Amino acid sequence: MIDEGVRETDELLAEAEASILFTAKRPPVVMERGKGMYVWDTDGNRYLDFIGGWAVTCLGHSPDVLKDALERQASQLVNVSPAFYNKPMIELASLLTKISGFDRVFFGSSGAEANESAIKLARKYGAIRKGGAYEIITATNSFHGRTLAMMSATGKAQWQQLFAPKLPGFLHVPLNDWEAMSQAIGPGTCAVMLEPVQGEGGVHAVDADYLAQLRKKCDDEGILLIFDEIQTGIGRTGTMFAFEHFGIRPDILTLAKGIGGGFPLSAMLTKEELNLFEPGDQGGTYTGQPLAMAAGLAVVGEVIRLNLPEYAAVQGDYLISGLRSMQTKYKLEHIRGKGLLLAFDLPEPKGAELVADCMKEGLLIDSPSPRTIRLMPALNVSKAHIDEMLGIFGRVMDRLWG
């Protein structure tokens, strides 16, 4: 007799192959449900999730606080024109300004949208306060999103010719190279945009001294400093915002991923003196949508209530300690990161093979490049989950490199 679950999965995969536009190489499984640190596919296989939707599911899968907030708001008001205020919009904006120290918030649905908003605001600033300056400097190996503008801003070498011509006005310099940055800054520069910790680029942090120099240079030249905290914000690196590690405050801050705990939500925050948009300059159909605002309120509120930034710092140290205990045996290199945004390099470019083998053993991890493994579990991951992850990882490494 044919197993009904297998038949259902095969049928679903065939339908996916026939109807979904190809944009990614996906394994032949169909995810069906999730709870806490685990997800299950349609065949009933369970996976310990250390990808977390690329640092999205900060409270784990299907947390009650998010489910309850969505159910409650859905029964009241799902959507209303962004031409009107709504109560959860006001409440979430107030909460984010309170915990961040910024004055104004613009809401979107994706990280790319938040970063586009930051770019627009910087160019508006350049147009009216810096004689038309519009150039924005970003870092080599950075990642800022997949819209055409954000692909132009992103410092990925393999994207340089993709979808040409690119949007003009972006310059890329190596991260932490002060000479390159100081030479790139000129009369046409309106902003510098950086990830405090590059996530997609392999978890590489900005040097504190470099950032201090950059903040001073921006202040001296009247240039805006933008921090893309799409991946690092809301507790991911062991503080509520990654900029807190450096004692440096940007002029514009962008957030997404963990801010909604899995619900599509992003935000751009800035200071009152940059409240420059006129009606029609910026907007969006789902800007400040009540359902998304309720999700953000629930998720950020729970991160605060449980003090998850501090908890993530402790759990991150525990995970790093476990990886270091394996470092010599498996020849792991450059174990790095902050909080629960961690990475390490493999002795050989077998990242894809390791990811696939770990998945067969019930563990989800990420390989952003052939030799690099990135770990982004939920902020409330337990030591028992970390031990389970390290156990599976060790067994797979024994087979690959034993």
Side-chain angles (χ1 to χ4, degrees):
M1 176 179 284
I2 299 175
D3 182 85
E4 289 297 319
V6 173
R7 186 170 67 181
E8 179 190 12
T9 299
D10 288 344
E11 291 173 352
L12 287 169
L13 289 170
E15 187 174 346
E17 290 291 329
S19 60
I20 295 176
L21 183 70
F22 177 79
T23 58
K25 294 181 179 179
R26 296 183 173 97
V29 299
V30 180
M31 297 303 184
E32 186 172 37
R33 62 187 177 91
K35 190 64 181 176
M37 284 295 300
Y38 299 94
V39 289
W40 286 261
D41 65 24
T42 50
D43 293 331
N45 299 307
R46 188 184 77 167
Y47 305 90
L48 176 63
D49 188 1
F50 266 62
I51 298 176
W54 290 332
V56 165
T57 53
C58 62
L59 300 178
H61 292 280
S62 300
D64 289 341
V65 67
L66 178 57
K67 176 177 68 71
D68 293 344
L70 291 173
E71 289 179 350
R72 185 167 53 251
Q73 187 61 44
S75 69
Q76 296 177 358
L77 184 64
V78 170
N79 194 49
V80 68
S81 167
F84 302 104
Y85 291 121
N86 64 76
K87 185 178 178 183
M89 173 204 290
I90 297 168
E91 292 174 343
L92 181 56
S94 296
L95 176 61
L96 290 176
T97 56
K98 178 181 179 181
I99 65 174
S100 68
F102 289 91
D103 304 309
R104 298 282 179 168
V105 182
F106 173 82
F107 291 111
S109 301
S110 68
E113 189 178 359
N115 283 340
E116 288 259 2
S117 302
I119 295 302
K120 288 180 180 179
L121 184 57
R123 288 192 167 180
K124 179 84 175 189
Y125 166 83
I128 65 177
R129 295 188 182 172
K130 281 189 65 65
Y134 67 91
E135 292 180 345
I136 295 169
I137 302 170
T138 66
T140 303
N141 209 37
S142 62
F143 182 84
H144 299 294
R146 288 186 173 86
T147 63
L148 188 58
M150 289 306 98
M151 291 183 77
S152 301
T154 290
K156 282 191 170 195
Q158 61 268 38
W159 280 6
Q160 287 182 1
Q161 300 305 317
L162 189 62
F163 308 130
K166 287 291 197 299
L167 186 72
F170 293 99
L171 291 75
H172 308 106
V173 300
L175 186 68
N176 295 322
D177 185 334
W178 178 247
E179 183 177 355
M181 175 61 76
S182 59
Q183 289 179 356
I185 292 174
T189 307
C190 67
V192 175
M193 184 174 186
L194 294 175
E195 302 158 276
V197 182
Q198 289 184 341
E200 185 72 15
V203 187
H204 299 287
V206 178
D207 289 340
D209 290 344
Y210 171 88
L211 203 54
Q213 283 182 288
L214 181 58
R215 177 70 276 182
K216 184 178 186 304
K217 181 71 170 178
C218 287
D219 289 341
D220 291 344
E221 301 289 338
I223 295 168
L224 300 183
L225 182 57
I226 305 169
F227 278 3
D228 174 346
E229 292 219 33
I230 301 303
Q231 190 163 136
T232 59
I234 313 299
R236 175 57 53 183
T237 67
T239 53
M240 184 61 75
F241 307 101
F243 70 74
E244 297 176 66
H245 290 290
F246 304 95
I248 300 294
R249 181 177 294 277
D251 302 298
I252 302 173
L253 176 71
T254 59
L255 304 170
K257 295 189 182 290
I259 193 176
F263 196 95
L265 176 61
S266 64
M268 179 197 70
L269 290 78
T270 193
K271 304 182 293 185
E272 179 60 38
E273 53 263 39
L274 295 177
N275 187 18
L276 303 175
F277 285 143
E278 297 292 338
D281 284 355
Q282 181 60 319
T285 301
Y286 300 108
T287 298
Q289 182 213 44
L291 197 62
M293 300 296 95
L297 270 173
V299 171
V300 177
E302 190 74 349
V303 169
I304 294 169
R305 186 183 74 83
L306 297 177
N307 195 16
L308 288 183
E310 184 176 325
Y311 181 82
V314 172
Q315 299 303 86
D317 288 344
Y318 183 77
L319 179 49
I320 285 178
S321 177
L323 291 170
R324 286 178 176 158
S325 71
M326 300 177 161
Q327 187 167 11
T328 300
K329 181 178 181 180
Y330 301 121
K331 298 182 174 61
L332 306 181
E333 301 173 358
H334 306 118
I335 298 171
R336 59 192 180 272
K338 296 177 182 294
L340 288 170
L341 178 57
L342 305 176
F344 56 90
D345 295 329
L346 301 171
E348 300 175 37
K350 293 185 177 181
E353 185 178 349
L354 179 60
V355 166
D357 281 12
C358 282
M359 186 171 184
K360 292 176 184 176
E361 294 294 321
L363 172 65
L364 304 181
I365 57 176
D366 176 57
S367 179
S369 64
R371 288 191 60 188
T372 299
I373 297 298
R374 179 174 48 160
L375 305 174
M376 304 160 283
L379 301 184
N380 52 6
V381 63
S382 70
K383 289 183 178 179
H385 292 132
I386 293 173
D387 290 340
E388 182 183 358
M389 175 266 164
L390 293 170
I392 297 172
F393 175 75
R395 291 196 299 272
V396 174
M397 288 293 287
D398 283 338
R399 288 201 299 271
L400 283 177
W401 278 284

